[in-house]
Amino acid sequence: MPRVFVQGRPVDSYPRPAPEAGRGSVRRVTEVGEEVLHRPSRDVTEFGPDLAALIDDMFLTMYVAEGAGLAANQVGVDLRLFVYDCPDDDGVRHVGHIINPVLDPLDPAGRRLLDEGEGCLSVPGAVMDVPRPDRAVVRGLDKDGNALVIEGTGYFARCLAHETDHVNGQVYLDRLSKRDRKEALRQVADRRDEVFARRAAKTKALTAS
């Protein structure tokens, strides 16, 4: 079994951080409550150097924030797009981006829900259990406009579903009970300063020339 998949295809190896990050600039991560996170994002209709540069910026920002995925609205850009560098439950690394993603519906009879811890870079410091299917299939495009199908299981399936929620204007707090949402926001209040200190240190480490 290959240990790395890039854009859904097996490769022998891939640098960490991904090369895209070396071309990018760090952007501010939006936080829960900001409007751009709570409405469906616009379809990407223009492909070219500006889109490629946004993807590079998103990769670097994701690494600085120590995330496994990042959607464009999490850097304040109203477009249906996310990037990821995420392991599955077998330790296989998945790296890539997907534009205008759509999550395939799963047959309820054949799906298995996993109720496991989930965090979000836009909800800094909080981790809550969220039920998600153990398998996900996302269809969309790459930065050149080519059709793309990405499949994931376990933790990577959770990442694909989480990021697709983002482009649809949902954060994982929307899937929690009122009590659990309140607990998540309490965790943010307690840990936000610590999270931002780590991000500042990571920015220096990853952008030092």
Side-chain angles (χ1 to χ4, degrees), residues 35-50:
E35 184 186 358
V36 72
L37 289 173
H38 301 283
R39 63 171 189 261
S41 297
R42 296 183 297 112
D43 279 349
V44 173
T45 56
E46 296 182 16
F47 296 79
D50 288 347

Side-chain angles (χ1 to χ4, degrees), residues 8-158:
R9 296 179 179 176
V11 298
D12 291 335
S13 64
Y14 204 64
R16 189 190 302 268
E20 291 90 337
R23 302 188 294 264
S25 300
V26 179
R27 299 199 185 197
R28 175 185 170 271
V29 177
T30 53
E31 293 186 57
V32 63
E34 295 184 45
E35 184 186 358
V36 72
L37 289 173
H38 301 283
R39 63 171 189 261
S41 297
R42 296 183 297 112
D43 279 349
V44 173
T45 56
E46 296 182 16
F47 296 79
D50 288 347
L51 181 63
L54 171 61
I55 290 169
D56 293 344
D57 290 355
M58 288 170 63
F59 265 102
L60 181 58
T61 303
M62 175 180 68
Y63 291 128
V64 161
E66 300 178 325
L70 185 74
N73 59 0
Q74 291 184 275
V75 292
V77 177
D78 181 23
L79 289 174
R80 294 179 63 85
L81 157 68
F82 66 81
V83 302
Y84 58 88
D85 188 341
C86 182
D88 62 25
D89 288 357
D90 296 317
V92 177
R93 181 184 174 208
H94 299 266
V95 188
H97 66 270
I98 188 162
I99 292 159
N100 299 339
V102 176
L103 194 64
D104 276 6
L106 297 177
D107 180 358
R111 73 175 187 173
R112 185 166 68 102
L113 288 178
L114 300 178
D115 198 12
E116 296 179 350
E118 189 165 322
C120 178
L121 302 184
S122 294
V123 190
V127 177
M128 300 294 296
D129 285 348
V130 182
R132 299 271 192 191
D134 65 346
R135 179 173 174 271
V137 179
V138 178
R139 301 176 188 273
L141 304 169
D142 68 13
K143 62 184 169 72
D144 300 312
N146 301 310
L148 196 59
V149 180
I150 304 295
E151 300 186 35
T153 58
Y155 185 68
F156 182 46
R158 178 174 297 274

